[in-house]
Amino acid sequence: MRLPRSLRARLTALFLIISGATILSTALLMNRVVAQVVWAPLDAELVEEAETLCTLVRSGHLEGLQTTVVGIATEKQHGPGKFVRVIGGDGKVIAEAGPVPHELRNAAVPRIKQATNLRAHDMPMRVLNYPLHDDCAGVVGVDVRRQLMTLAKARIAIAISALMLLLALGGLAWLVTSRATAEMDRLAAEIATIEAGSLGRRLVPRRTLEVDRLASVLNRVLARLESAVTHLQRFTADAAHELRTPVAALRARLEVAIGGPPDVGAYRDGLVDSLEQTERLGRLAEDLLTLSSVEAGGTMPRDEEVRLDLIVREVVDALEPIAQEQGRALECDAPAPVSVRGAPQLLKRVVLNLVDNAFRHTPAGVLVRVAVARRDGVAVVVVEDHGPGMSPEDQDNAFRRFARGRGTTGGGSGLGLALCREIVAAHGGRIHLASELGRGTRVEVELP
Ligand SMILES: Nc1ncnc2c1ncn2[C@@H]1O[C@H](COP(=O)(O)OP(=O)(O)OP(=O)(O)O)[C@@H](O)[C@H]1O
Ligand SMILES: [Mg+2]
């Protein structure tokens, strides 16, 4: 059997099953109690009569016995159908009166006290066996049409009340679950009206605690969604803006070259300039891609062992020719092996970006130092220079995307440090920048 999918129907059905079982068992119990109330006094009365008769038999007063038996049998309190029979120890009937049912004519002497209902002469009867004791036993029966009628009425009353109770409870359950689910329906309807453009809207508080909790959880999800979408929109706008500048520069340079007099030297200059712009464009596109993939958690395998000291040396070796060209000393301090787990390409990118900054944002001839060491179980990479430093304002913004310091002429896109921060964070580390105007800049990367 398939359960209904509606929560309301399920809850109501469950409630009905449980309350139905309870009501049914209560009704059965009540039925037994009512039968007890009807039969117990009657049985006691019949026992008493049989006992009176047997007392007469035992005391030897047999002459008055038949009169008493007839007197008891003709007593009309229980209708016309009453019979009495007194039996001796030898099984012989000592006295008898009233319409003894046919099937009891040759019955054995009763041995146990027992009351049974049977039909005789087309009449419902209650027959009591009074067991043999001191040479006397008895059987007394009465017409019980009235009692059966009372019992039937009581049973009908019990059945009707049970049914009505069940119906009332079912209706109540349906009402309660309807009210509870209606609130959820309203919540769903309200959520359905929220579009991408209206993510700033929030759901109103609800009456019931559970639905209210659901609404506040959804509100938190909406807030996160809103901030993610806003962030994405801003990022896309910034990226488009940043791409426009090198494209415009490239176009302008090409136009100048084509529009001028045909001169090989001018063409060459134009092409060199254009190449520079395309390099810048390529770098920008690559940075944007890396940034978004690191942010989305789509980093390269992170469980590789990475030798930071080797990476630092590699970067220093690669940049040494540029350092010489710029007449600056490039110091490398990587005395011992330092390993971390992570993505080697990304970590190399961090070191490269930091050294690139030191080269690009300090005048030629300024010393740059790169060091790597282990400190309290944490790998630390330091890149420092004795350049002009950064203003406190520039320091605050340094890690924001597309944030370039004021007066920066390096031609960068302002993504370098933002990318460094994302990569370091993805490795569970921290990056810290300290700079002082006129004294230099020091960037420290900690990796677990
Ligand atoms: N060593 C440094 N000395 C002085 N200023 C620095 C130094 N490093 C970074 N900055 C400042 O911080 C800003 C942000 O640096 P970031 O690396 O994010 O961008 P960028 O170098 O301008 O561009 P990109 O790295 O994307 O080519 C720089 O524009 C520069 O003003
Ligand atoms: Mg940079």
Side-chain angles (χ1 to χ4, degrees):
M1 195 183 74
R2 276 191 56 205
L3 284 172
R5 288 192 61 213
S6 141
L7 182 65
R8 189 158 43 147
R10 277 189 192 199
L11 285 177
T12 309
L14 188 70
F15 186 73
L16 273 182
I17 290 170
I18 294 172
S19 51
T22 315
I23 290 172
L24 185 70
S25 45
T26 311
L28 290 175
L29 190 75
M30 275 171 77
N31 181 40
R32 286 189 64 158
V33 169
V34 168
Q36 186 76 12
V37 166
V38 169
W39 299 127
L42 180 63
D43 292 348
E45 197 182 304
L46 298 181
V47 167
E48 201 184 310
E49 286 170 357
E51 225 157 41
T52 311
L53 293 171
C54 274
T55 311
L56 278 176
V57 172
R58 285 181 207 123
S59 61
H61 290 93
L62 291 177
E63 49 311 337
L65 183 66
Q66 185 59 34
T67 332
T68 317
V69 167
V70 173
I72 289 177
T74 50
E75 198 183 61
K76 286 290 183 286
Q77 192 196 340
H78 294 293
K82 187 166 182 179
F83 74 87
V84 182
R85 170 189 259 187
V86 184
I87 308 163
D90 52 3
K92 287 219 176 87
V93 174
I94 304 174
E96 185 177 82
V100 179
H102 188 69
E103 52 271 54
L104 294 182
R105 286 259 161 241
N106 302 314
V109 185
R111 301 278 167 188
I112 50 168
K113 186 151 81 175
Q114 192 183 36
T116 46
N117 286 350
L118 54 86
R119 274 198 92 76
H121 312 299
D122 238 1
M123 187 191 296
M125 297 200 86
R126 181 87 174 168
V127 177
L128 177 96
N129 287 330
Y130 181 74
L132 184 69
H133 179 59
D134 276 350
D135 269 351
C136 180
V139 181
V140 190
V142 287
D143 166 14
V144 285
R145 259 177 297 195
R146 222 171 28 151
Q147 283 84 348
L148 284 182
M149 192 79 92
T150 311
L151 255 182
K153 277 186 196 156
R155 279 179 185 150
I156 289 172
I158 290 173
I160 289 177
S161 350
L163 209 67
M164 276 169 57
L165 189 62
L166 196 63
L167 280 177
L169 284 177
L172 196 70
W174 184 254
L175 216 74
V176 170
T177 49
S178 297
R179 284 195 68 159
T181 49
E183 214 180 0
M184 286 203 265
D185 286 343
R186 280 197 296 276
L187 188 68
E190 199 179 329
I191 296 167
T193 60
I194 297 179
E195 311 263 344
S198 55
L199 283 175
R201 268 179 53 199
R202 293 293 173 265
L203 303 166
V204 293
R206 302 285 153 167
R207 250 195 350 251
T208 48
L209 196 69
E210 291 79 0
V211 184
D212 191 48
R213 196 178 308 146
L214 183 64
S216 48
V217 169
L218 285 169
N219 275 343
R220 258 175 280 152
V221 173
L222 278 175
R224 280 203 293 269
L225 205 61
E226 187 194 10
S227 111
V229 168
T230 314
H231 186 248
L232 193 70
Q233 281 167 343
R234 196 168 337 123
F235 183 71
T236 316
D238 286 351
H241 180 78
E242 289 301 317
L243 282 167
R244 219 162 30 207
T245 316
V247 170
L250 182 63
R251 187 194 170 103
R253 199 64 195 83
L254 290 173
E255 274 171 1
V256 167
I258 290 169
D263 172 48
V264 177
Y267 282 163
R268 204 189 129 72
D269 285 353
L271 285 176
V272 168
D273 261 11
S274 304
L275 194 65
E276 219 169 81
Q277 293 299 341
T278 53
E279 266 165 19
R280 191 179 160 194
L281 263 174
R283 214 154 47 100
L284 181 58
E286 202 184 312
D287 280 355
L288 283 173
L289 266 176
T290 316
L291 197 57
S292 77
S293 92
V294 172
E295 256 195 342
T299 47
M300 283 164 246
R302 299 234 350 244
D303 49 354
E304 226 172 289
E305 185 168 322
V306 184
R307 284 279 301 275
L308 280 180
D309 54 314
L310 296 186
I311 283 188
V312 163
R313 271 181 201 291
E314 240 177 85
V315 172
V316 168
D317 287 347
L319 293 180
E320 190 53 53
I322 302 176
Q324 272 175 15
E325 198 178 295
Q326 294 183 350
R328 64 170 90 230
L330 177 57
E331 277 179 14
C332 175
D333 184 11
V338 177
S339 314
V340 291
R341 299 203 76 83
Q345 287 311 314
L346 291 181
L347 292 175
K348 186 173 175 183
R349 188 66 183 276
V350 171
V351 180
L352 199 63
N353 277 1
L354 295 180
V355 181
D356 176 67
N357 275 354
F359 273 36
R360 205 132 35 121
H361 304 300
T362 64
V366 167
L367 175 124
V368 176
R369 189 174 152 267
V370 191
V372 58
R374 183 170 291 280
R375 193 175 67 198
D376 305 331
V378 177
V380 184
V381 178
V382 177
V383 179
E384 59 185 336
D385 63 64
H386 297 299
M390 298 162 72
S391 68
E393 203 180 307
D394 283 348
Q395 283 181 56
D396 289 345
N397 290 329
F399 291 99
R400 275 194 21 230
R401 283 147 194 208
F402 305 114
R404 274 168 301 221
R406 259 187 277 170
T408 300
T409 48
S413 52
L415 281 177
L417 286 176
L419 192 54
C420 287
R421 188 178 60 178
E422 291 299 333
I423 294 173
V424 171
H427 283 76
R430 295 191 312 131
I431 183 164
H432 178 72
L433 183 145
S435 185
E436 212 178 310
L437 280 177
R439 305 200 60 167
T441 306
R442 175 188 165 96
V443 184
E444 205 174 284
V445 173
E446 284 182 8
L447 290 167

